[in-house]
Amino acid sequence: EVQLQASGGGLVQPGGSLKLSCSVSGFTGDDYAIGWFRQASGREREGLSCFSMRDGGTFYANSVMGRFTISGDKAKNTVYLQLNRLNEEDTAVYYCAKDVLCDPSVILGPRDPGSWGQGTQVTVSS
């Protein structure tokens, strides 16, 4: 059974940074991609970025391009999301999800990844 563990969230001041991690277990090989999403209270889920573990390909939503950076470590089966220049609108629960490819349809819709992690809370506040 595939399991995804998101971690690294916390409380950060505006302008600060955080690095989120998504660890994947129960899956063999590198033919998969990890997407990062977030959901703020009272708002719809928003796709942020994805990373292909197979070829290192990436995609970013316009809303985070230039502020967030996604990367991966095959040896650790872990994908990271570096969050920079955070502001209060970035406050949300951040989720990672596993799919077979990193594609705009995964982040922007309508494709829904098959496996989801439990989420990690990011709070940006002074």
Side-chain angles (χ1 to χ4, degrees):
E1 179 183 1
V2 175
Q3 292 187 330
L4 289 84
Q5 180 74 39
S7 62
L11 174 64
V12 62
Q13 292 186 341
S17 299
L18 281 175
K19 188 172 186 178
L20 307 183
S21 300
C22 178
S23 298
V24 182
S25 61
F27 184 82
T28 302
D30 62 2
D31 195 14
Y32 67 93
I34 295 295
W36 280 99
F37 303 78
R38 67 185 179 187
Q39 188 162 19
S41 180
R43 300 183 67 177
E44 293 186 355
R45 188 181 72 199
E46 178 186 11
L48 306 175
S49 181
C50 61
F51 180 88
S52 169
M53 196 64 89
R54 177 172 56 85
D55 61 12
T58 62
F59 176 81
Y60 294 91
N62 287 339
S63 61
V64 301
M65 192 175 295
R67 286 197 307 130
F68 294 1
T69 303
I70 197 167
S71 61
D73 186 331
K74 283 187 180 182
K76 296 182 179 180
N77 278 336
T78 300
V79 172
Y80 305 96
L81 187 67
Q82 176 72 41
L83 316 179
N84 295 325
R85 304 200 311 274
L86 288 163
N87 58 65
E88 293 182 350
E89 292 187 351
D90 294 314
T91 295
V93 179
Y94 284 67
Y95 298 90
C96 59
K98 176 182 171 294
D99 204 327
V100 296
L101 51 81
C102 174
D103 185 85
S105 67
V106 176
I107 299 303
L108 304 179
R111 185 180 175 93
D112 195 353
S115 302
W116 290 83
Q118 86 290 358
T120 184
Q121 175 71 47
V122 172
T123 302
V124 185
S125 176
S126 56

